[in-house]
């Protein structure tokens, strides 16, 4: 997790290359990793909601896109058979 000017955010990337590149530059000790739909829905999503942390999509050098947890779930984890929150 990190912070922007307004909120606490949890960064996501669509590309593992971009994730590794960003992590190496900003968090040298961190290893970026892929998250499964199951882990996102059962562990990460409830935690982000409880802590009022915004999932944020990073797309290269473009400005990050803050999403709601519902948007993140719908757009990227919609094939999950788990109940939506």
């Amino acid at each position: 997790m990190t912070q922007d000017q307004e909120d606490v955010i949890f960064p996501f990337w669509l590309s593992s290359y971009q994730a590794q590149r960003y992590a190496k530059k900003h968090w040298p000790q961190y290893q970026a990793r892929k998250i499964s739909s199951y882990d996102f829905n059962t562990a990460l999503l409830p935690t982000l909601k409880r802590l009022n942390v915004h999932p944020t999509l990073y797309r290269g050098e473009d400005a990050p896109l803050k999403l709601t947890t519902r948007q993140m779930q719908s757009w990227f984890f919609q094939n999950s058979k788990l109940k939506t929150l």
Side-chain angles (χ1 to χ4, degrees):
M1 286 190 280
T2 189
Q3 253 184 313
D4 66 4
Q5 298 84 354
E6 303 156 359
D7 301 301
V8 177
I9 61 176
F10 191 96
F12 289 90
W13 291 264
L14 295 178
S15 157
S16 61
Y17 171 77
Q18 289 175 338
Q20 292 292 0
R21 192 170 141 209
Y22 190 90
K24 185 176 179 181
K25 180 178 179 182
H26 295 281
W27 307 304
Q29 303 304 317
Y30 181 75
Q31 179 68 33
R33 66 180 177 89
K34 186 176 183 177
I35 187 168
S36 71
S37 294
Y38 179 82
D39 288 343
F40 179 79
N41 282 299
T42 62
L44 187 56
L45 182 64
T47 301
L48 294 177
K49 287 180 80 160
R50 183 173 48 81
L51 297 175
N52 196 29
V53 174
H54 298 272
T56 303
L57 183 61
Y58 281 74
R59 303 163 294 163
E61 300 299 320
D62 295 339
L65 175 63
K66 263 191 258 186
L67 305 169
T68 65
T69 51
R70 185 173 297 271
Q71 286 172 319
M72 189 73 176
Q73 185 178 42
S74 172
W75 294 355
F76 299 104
F77 298 97
Q78 64 195 9
N79 293 330
S80 173
K81 295 178 182 172
L82 300 172
K83 179 181 173 185
T84 58
L85 299 176

